[in-house]
Amino acid sequence: AINIASLGGQVRLIGLIGDDEPGRTLENLLTKHNVTCKFEHLQGFPTITKLRIISRQQQLLRMDFENGFPEFAGERLLKIYKQHLNWANVIILSDYLKGTLNNVKNLIELAQQSGSIVLVDPKQQNFTTYQGANLITPNLVELEAVVGKCPDDSTLFHQGMRLIEEHQLGALLVTRGEKGMSLLQPNKKPTHLPTHAREVYDVTGAGDTVISVLAIGLASGLSLIQATQLSNIAAGIVVGKLGTATVSLEELEHAVCEQWTPNKGLVTESALLSLAKAAKNQGETLVFTNGCFDILHAGHVAYLQDASRLGDRLIVAINTDKTVRDLKGPERPINPLKQRSAVLAALACVDWV
């Protein structure tokens, strides 16, 4: 929920907590992070609490304090769910086998009737429970517990497609740790995405990041493949942080620019604006200069090298052929715009032209 809120999404969180101090602390923290809480407070049930023991930036131990809600009937929670169905574009059902989603099949059916997209993070081995969901996001271990070992992409594809057909799923997204993730859809080739993690400090919450970024991507109008690519990049960011972490909009924008936009060279105006914004968000200093650069000589190169030392990124704007003629006469330029741009972009001291 906080992942979605940190990316600018509106999110309402429905669930069960105890009528105790941990429950009140949880609700206050979520509210501070712009999450609207719609909790049912249960008497006699403690709020589920997880304690992580960390030493020298390494998680040594996790202690869970819980009883779950095994006999929870869910009538009031179902009423809250129905009240907010028409508000949501996308619904995430995160099933941790604690009892909150004992009737998850009914929740999926109600969401379908309202026209909402349903994403499920599954924990049950009986995937019939999730029948009709638009997408489920098991990790590889969870998938193999249902279909058996998947030692290669081919086995994963065939077993995954069998699940999709049997349970009428819209798609299956399998997170595979250091192997990235695989998206399977009916009547389409599989999409295998490599991991974008540079360094892995802590994988806690990576799956939650994947499904939350998927949700906000789909709610914003992205295609499923585009939203999956975005969630893969986001997961690569959070595993580089210690503890349960979120990804910010600025971090995601910067990572997307690195992934999908050239780091150097010729760029369009819109790409330059995105790159410049991302650079500023990272605290980088931008240096801008312009000129005709018709016949590039050593003086030009020295000037540009000096300019690049003034900051972190050097942007060079170049005059069009028409403005060069206006400035230098009808016989100029000697080198047309395309050639002048290519020469400038090849210089090591120039970031973007």
Side-chain angles (χ1 to χ4, degrees):
I2 294 177
N3 262 310
I4 294 172
S6 69
L7 293 175
Q10 298 179 49
V11 56
R12 298 179 184 179
L13 182 60
I14 300 173
L16 304 176
I17 61 174
D19 188 15
D20 53 18
E21 187 59 32
R24 287 185 285 274
T25 299
L26 173 64
E27 192 162 5
N28 288 336
L29 286 171
L30 286 163
T31 302
K32 287 180 181 178
H33 285 86
N34 299 316
V35 175
T36 301
C37 298
K38 300 293 179 180
F39 292 147
E40 180 174 355
H41 301 77
L42 295 183
Q43 298 285 342
F45 289 92
T47 300
I48 294 172
T49 305
K50 299 181 181 182
L51 174 65
R52 292 180 172 86
I53 310 299
I54 296 174
S55 175
R56 296 182 180 181
Q57 296 189 329
Q58 295 293 325
Q59 179 174 307
L60 304 180
L61 181 69
R62 193 184 87 181
M63 302 171 65
D64 293 4
F65 303 91
E66 62 175 75
N67 294 322
F69 310 97
E71 299 177 3
F72 176 68
E75 289 87 356
R76 187 169 181 275
L77 199 69
L78 181 60
K79 183 178 180 181
I80 297 172
Y81 180 76
K82 289 178 178 179
Q83 289 172 347
H84 297 278
L85 268 180
N86 292 329
W87 173 86
N89 300 107
V90 179
I91 294 171
I92 298 174
L93 299 175
S94 196
D95 187 0
Y96 286 94
L97 293 179
K98 308 301 181 185
T100 309
L101 299 183
N102 283 335
N103 198 8
V104 65
K105 192 170 184 179
N106 185 32
L107 300 180
I108 293 172
E109 291 173 353
L110 289 170
Q112 288 176 325
Q113 293 169 14
S114 74
S116 299
I117 298 170
V118 186
L119 312 181
V120 181
D121 183 3
K123 290 295 181 286
Q124 299 186 42
Q125 292 187 17
N126 179 12
F127 275 21
T128 303
T129 306
Y130 309 120
Q131 183 165 323
N134 295 91
L135 176 78
I136 62 173
T137 61
N139 60 39
L140 184 59
V141 173
E142 291 164 344
L143 180 72
E144 289 182 334
V146 177
V147 302
K149 286 293 182 182
C150 297
D152 49 51
D153 290 349
S154 177
T155 306
L156 178 70
F157 171 72
H158 287 98
Q159 295 285 43
M161 294 307 295
R162 180 175 62 81
L163 273 183
I164 289 173
E165 184 176 352
E166 284 181 3
H167 303 299
Q168 300 174 32
L169 302 172
L172 178 70
L173 178 63
V174 184
T175 53
R176 305 171 65 185
E178 70 277 2
K179 292 184 179 179
M181 57 179 63
S182 298
L183 176 65
L184 309 181
Q185 301 179 80
N187 305 314
K188 293 185 180 180
K189 293 182 179 179
T191 301
H192 301 294
L193 301 176
T195 181
H196 287 287
R198 294 177 179 175
E199 292 184 282
V200 178
Y201 287 104
D202 195 337
V203 298
T204 304
D208 295 329
T209 297
V210 168
I211 200 167
S212 61
V213 175
L214 260 173
I216 195 169
L218 293 171
S220 301
L222 296 182
S223 69
L224 180 54
I225 288 182
Q226 290 172 328
T228 301
Q229 291 171 328
L230 198 62
S231 69
N232 189 38
I233 292 172
I237 295 171
V238 297
V239 297
K241 301 180 180 183
L242 183 64
T244 304
T246 60
V247 57
S248 70
L249 189 58
E250 291 74 18
E251 289 172 324
L252 199 53
E253 284 179 341
H254 182 69
V256 168
C257 284
E258 284 188 337
Q259 178 65 25
W260 288 330
T261 311
N263 286 329
K264 294 190 67 174
L266 291 169
V267 294
T268 63
E269 181 179 353
S270 60
L272 177 60
L273 291 173
S274 295
L275 287 164
K277 182 180 179 181
K280 285 184 178 180
N281 289 334
Q282 293 297 311
E284 295 180 345
T285 300
L286 305 182
V287 180
F288 177 90
T289 188
N290 75 296
C292 298
F293 304 104
D294 187 16
I295 304 174
L296 197 68
H297 52 70
H300 286 135
V301 175
Y303 163 75
L304 292 172
Q305 287 174 332
D306 288 342
S308 70
R309 296 188 189 103
L310 298 175
D312 302 297
R313 299 281 188 173
L314 176 60
I315 302 169
V316 179
I318 187 168
N319 288 53
T320 65
D321 292 347
K322 180 181 182 304
T323 58
V324 173
R325 279 194 295 272
D326 293 341
L327 289 168
K328 298 182 177 292
E331 300 299 320
R332 305 288 293 272
I334 295 172
N335 297 299
L337 177 62
K338 187 175 181 179
Q339 293 181 14
R340 290 183 285 128
S341 300
V343 172
L344 281 173
L347 295 177
C349 60
V350 176
D351 289 287
W352 302 310
V353 178

